[in-house]
Amino acid sequence: MQRRHQKLIEEAPSPAVSPQLRARMGAVAVTAIKSLRYEGAGTLEFLLDSRGEFYFMEMNTRLQVEHPVTEAITGLDLVELQLRIASGEPLGLEQQDVKFSGHAIEVRLCSEDAAHDFMPQSGRMVLWQAPTGARVEHALQSGVEISPFYDSMIAKIISFGASREEARSKLICSLEQTAAFGVTTNQGFLMSCLRHPAFAGGEATTAFIEQHRDALLAPRKDTPSDVALAALLLYVSDPNAQPRRSGRSLAATFPAPVRIEFDRSVHHVEIVRERDGTYLANIEGIEHRFEIDELGCDIVRFRRNGVAQSERFFRDRDRLYMLHHGVTLAVRDLTLAAPATAAATASDGKVRAAMNGRVVALLVKVGERVAAGQPVMTLEAMKMEHVHAAPLPGTISAIDVTEGEQVTTGKVVLEIEASAQPV
């Protein structure tokens, strides 16, 4: 399964390939390798159509990113075999010795924003915690910088099960446990793909994402209870807040106003700590009751309406990241922040870099008139290009970058003087 002609989910064995078809493909691959006198690890790729016909696409003289799924179902260590062959040792097994057992699925965790055309993301990974019970290949740690200079894949998560359904369920569970805070990733999108009926039924093709794009990218529905929990976590994790004490208190309680940005919307919440130790979060006159049993530096255990729950989170100054049902939510504390002004939006005529990247093309000149939506600059990051467009009609009044320059997210790259008449 792929986007932008790059793979996101791989599995073995393929639900679309029968043992007979696999034997035919294997015979072609062996014939090609022998004719080339190739020695070492290599991968031949084929395209399969709906009639069961396959076509050679390319050969890579190396292992592929998805080699763990082959290792999982064969029990072979392909990296070890590659090194042994390179050092002149014999392979040590025949083709008939290779047996399949079970099913394996791999997802590529990428630093990209699926909701915005899979735009690459970079920045600081403030908290990274890999899931347990799955094979995870990564070089991440909390505090590491995700740079814009390489491919957007930052980790691979591989599940194995006796059946395809078991492997799929395990992989969803592993993604729900993965904490990747600070940089937007495709974690939630991958879960949407794995849960989709077409994928669950083994019907996904390379066109899967385009065919089901609306369903896969359907916006998550926030509930007032989720907003209340986010506001409460911001309130109790504030480094300047009074230490939390469990149990009852004789002290009088007063409502504390909290203003938060949650999933691109601003909410006003009042937090009250009752004398019995519970917390009330009031949103538009509706109260949500929470009882906190344990508050750690990155996890909270609580009861909501009597139901025990836990939430992994991380506080980074005025921002809070929550792992909520496997989806990372970014919450911002606006309680002491000044209201947003027009200068912070596109209405001021400033075009800002949407990501860290390199300016590869300036498509306009100072003094040139542009229409709203007209491409004005191309930015490249993580092997992908993103075209920036004019937010309004007008005249280019300033260009603040040069081609080849590396820019950071939010930097003003050019300015447009609004036109009274449409261009």
Side-chain angles (χ1 to χ4, degrees):
M1 222 181 60
Q2 64 184 37
R3 55 90 181 95
R4 293 181 180 267
H5 305 292
Q6 290 183 317
K7 288 168 278 190
L8 281 183
I9 302 179
E10 301 110 340
E11 62 181 304
S14 166
V17 177
S18 66
Q20 296 77 17
L21 179 56
R22 184 174 293 105
R24 289 171 53 206
M25 285 183 170
V28 171
V30 170
T31 300
I33 292 299
K34 286 184 176 180
S35 67
L36 294 171
R37 296 182 179 180
Y38 180 76
E39 293 184 6
T43 310
L44 279 83
E45 295 193 23
F46 299 94
L47 295 175
L48 179 67
D49 67 18
S50 58
R51 300 171 300 167
E53 297 296 327
F54 65 92
Y55 308 88
F56 173 76
M57 185 173 72
E58 67 178 9
M59 176 181 175
N60 289 287
T61 54
R62 56 177 171 81
L63 294 180
Q64 295 282 79
V65 171
E66 62 270 22
H67 77 268
V69 295
T70 301
E71 293 185 336
I73 66 171
T74 62
L76 299 174
D77 187 330
L78 298 182
V79 176
E80 178 185 351
L81 292 175
Q82 175 181 236
L83 295 174
R84 290 190 180 280
I85 291 297
S87 63
E89 297 182 27
L91 188 58
L93 73 159
E94 301 289 337
Q95 183 63 48
Q96 59 267 25
D97 298 326
V98 180
K99 307 295 183 184
F100 285 4
S101 176
H103 201 97
I105 307 177
E106 169 186 292
V107 293
R108 302 187 185 193
L109 185 68
C110 299
S111 53
E112 62 187 23
D113 189 347
H116 292 83
D117 199 26
F118 303 97
M119 185 184 299
Q121 304 290 302
S122 56
R124 189 168 69 96
M125 184 73 72
V126 297
L127 178 69
W128 164 256
Q129 291 180 344
T132 58
R135 175 174 173 176
V136 184
E137 298 194 348
H138 68 95
L140 296 170
Q141 60 183 2
S142 299
V144 72
E145 286 288 333
I146 306 298
S147 82
F149 304 117
Y150 305 100
D151 187 276
S152 62
M153 183 178 69
I154 56 177
K156 298 187 296 182
I157 304 175
I158 305 98
S159 68
F160 174 79
S163 65
R164 185 175 186 269
E165 181 57 26
E166 181 182 338
R168 187 181 72 92
S169 299
K170 283 184 175 180
L171 189 52
I172 292 173
C173 184
S174 294
L175 282 166
E176 288 177 337
Q177 298 174 13
T178 303
F181 296 164
V183 178
T184 300
T185 72
N186 63 344
Q187 180 178 350
F189 179 76
L190 291 171
M191 286 190 291
S192 294
C193 292
L194 293 171
R195 288 172 172 149
H196 195 279
F199 183 88
E203 302 166 2
T205 70
T206 54
F208 171 81
I209 290 177
E210 288 304 318
Q211 289 174 344
H212 304 285
R213 193 181 187 96
D214 291 343
L216 297 174
L217 294 173
R220 191 184 58 84
K221 295 181 180 179
D222 300 327
T223 66
S225 184
D226 293 340
V227 176
L229 176 59
L232 176 62
L233 283 178
L234 273 173
Y235 178 76
V236 298
S237 65
D238 189 327
N240 298 316
Q242 292 183 353
R244 191 185 70 86
R245 297 177 182 177
S246 59
R248 304 182 68 88
S249 172
L250 296 177
T253 59
F254 301 94
V258 179
R259 185 165 64 99
I260 69 170
E261 182 183 53
F262 184 85
D263 202 17
R264 297 183 175 88
S265 298
V266 176
H267 303 270
H268 297 266
V269 186
E270 283 191 343
I271 305 292
V272 178
R273 187 180 187 277
E274 298 282 84
R275 287 180 173 174
D276 64 359
T278 63
Y279 289 89
L280 294 180
N282 189 307
I283 304 176
E284 297 180 352
I286 300 176
E287 292 184 341
H288 302 266
R289 183 177 296 271
F290 299 89
E291 300 170 73
I292 296 180
D293 299 318
E294 178 187 345
L295 179 63
C297 61
D298 62 4
I299 192 168
V300 60
R301 304 186 193 282
F302 62 96
R303 281 168 286 162
R304 176 163 38 186
N305 301 323
V307 179
Q309 301 177 54
S310 65
E311 200 91 0
R312 190 164 296 281
F313 73 95
F314 186 82
R315 179 73 183 250
D316 185 28
R317 291 167 291 186
D318 66 339
R319 296 185 183 275
L320 179 90
Y321 300 95
M322 301 166 49
L323 184 59
H324 190 62
H325 301 306
V327 178
T328 298
L329 303 178
V331 187
R332 186 181 173 204
D333 188 356
L334 300 177
T335 307
L336 301 179
T341 63
T345 69
S347 61
D348 62 352
K350 291 184 172 66
V351 178
R352 293 172 171 83
M355 57 187 178
N356 290 356
R358 184 172 64 90
V359 179
V360 294
L362 289 170
L363 308 176
V364 292
K365 299 178 181 178
V366 173
E368 183 176 340
R369 300 187 71 199
V370 294
Q374 178 179 331
V376 294
M377 182 198 70
T378 303
L379 203 61
E380 180 188 59
M382 296 178 174
K383 299 182 180 180
M384 296 185 188
E385 291 187 351
H386 179 73
V387 177
H388 289 55
L392 43 75
T395 303
I396 302 296
S397 59
I399 295 178
D400 304 299
V401 293
T402 58
E403 289 190 359
E405 182 178 342
Q406 191 72 29
V407 298
T408 57
T409 303
K411 175 180 171 57
V412 175
V413 293
L414 57 85
E415 301 170 44
I416 302 172
E417 184 177 338
S419 173
Q421 299 293 330
V423 177

